[in-house]
Structure formats: C-alpha cells, structure tokens
Amino acid sequence: MAILVIGALLQEANDDRRLRVKPLVLKELPQPNPEGARTSPQILGALETMLEAMSSAVQSARRSGTDEATHDRRRAAATTGRSATVIKNYSWSISLLKPREPELFDALFLSVGRALLANAYEDKCQYVLRVGNLITAHQADPAMTFEEAVASVPADKLLGGTLHSLAAHAMGRTMDMDTLHKARQDRNWIAHEGASIGAIWSVDRDRILQHTVKLRAAVTDLALGDNTISQWCHGLAEPHDLPPAGWINGYPDAVDTWVFGHLRGLLPEQPSSLAGSE
C-alpha cells in the first residue's frame, strides 16, 4: 500500500513571503497494476478527493491572499496570455513568472558562480595533505620508490576529514587550523546555500541584498582560509621562490572585488583591513 500525499501550496503572509507546502494525506491506495490495467475506482476516487482538496486550498489562499499574490497572478496571466492559476507554476524551480528584479537577480547569481572558487579550496587542502603523506612515507623508508610511496598514501577524504588529518600531520601543526576550519564551514555554506534565496519569481530587492551580504561574509572567511592553504601550495610547488608578499596581503580584497565588485555600490562597505587578518 502506498500513501498518496498531495502538496497544496498556500501563500502565507510572513515577512519573507515564501510559499509553504502543506501536505494533505488523502488515503491509502493500492500499488499501480504493473500490467497497465485501467485506473481503478479507488484511484479515481482519490484523484477526485485530491482535486477537491487542492481547489479548496487555492480558494482559501485567494481569500486570504495579499496584494502581492494578486500581483503575481496578474503577471502570470500577462506572461501566458490567459487567466493563470497560481498553483500551476509554483511547484517548479523556474516559472513563467519573471523575477521582480531581473538585473539584481542576475548580479547575485554571477557572484554565487564566482564564489564557487570554494571548490578549489578542498582540492588544495587535499593536495597539501597528499604531499605531506608522501614526505612522511619517504622519511619512514628512504629506499622506497616513488611509485611505492604513492601507493602507500591514504585515499583522499572529504574536506572535514582532510583538515583533521592535516591538523595531526607535522605540517599542519604550524598552520592556522582555526582559519582553515572556518573556511571549510563557509565553503560548505556557499556550496549548499549560496543560491538559496527562495522562489526566483517572488524574491524582492531587500531579500536579494540581505542574502548577498551573508554570501559576502562567507566568501571573506573562505578567502582567508584559501590564502593560507595557497601559500602552502606555492611553497611545495616553488620551494626556491620567495612567497609573493604583495599578493598574499592583498588576496582577500582581490577575491572580494572579483566576486562582488559589480555589487559594491549596493552593499555595506567592507572593512579594508581584511589583509591584516591573515
């Protein structure tokens, strides 16, 4: 037996004006006939109940709807050229309804895309630990061939496990692990929530800017951790070259400019002392 759950979308008059999904458990249904038999009377009855419940939910939402919901329905009707029912487009990630602030919306997603330099942070942490393990293997057995040393190195872990292993390694004991772990947390937030601003057709200017401020704070912390691990990558790859001090000092600001430069006029001023935090 399977439970048929119908999601009826209800407009709530809350601050962020998000749509909520209210599950309506209708009734237990038999599993569909694998041979493709005609729809059973039980299923037809459940579908009728479902439609009645959804119709009732939509009518209730209309009666209690805000002017904003009415505006959205009118925009849907104007887009499709016919009378549009609100629920038709609200279940999908994109909609016939257009963003309210298309230029600002695109600007945010440009920043989100550039913020995905976060993916490189994990790769660099894994690289440093991998080299550290190779060095340890060679020191333990100088007669070991390079191929044997590579085969002895543990497999790469996810970022959290990588940093914990790095902290236990001789190299990691000289690193600012608090900065690296903070960057890990923000890297995960960027990857999983960096673009989570709600339905694209309903998000307004204030919410876009509020989310951008949160994204910018995460990118700031990520840039500090990325700056730390990048110096180690440089030292391992170019052991005879001096660290590029000017680039290291200006790196957090360079990241902020690259990711948010096109939005800076709309965001609170970022502290200019980021470089000094490294």
Side-chain angles (χ1 to χ4, degrees), residues 4 27 29-33 39-48:
L4 178 63
K27 60 189 300 184
L29 298 177
Q31 294 289 351
N33 189 327
T39 305
S40 68
Q42 297 98 319
I43 293 178
L44 287 175
L47 289 174
E48 290 177 358

Side-chain angles (χ1 to χ4, degrees), residues 9 19 77 99 128 143 147 151-152 189 210 216 238 256 269:
L9 298 179
L19 287 174
V128 170
E147 289 77 10
S152 71
W189 186 89
Q210 289 169 8
R216 194 181 193 190
E238 306 290 345
D256 183 73
E269 185 176 351

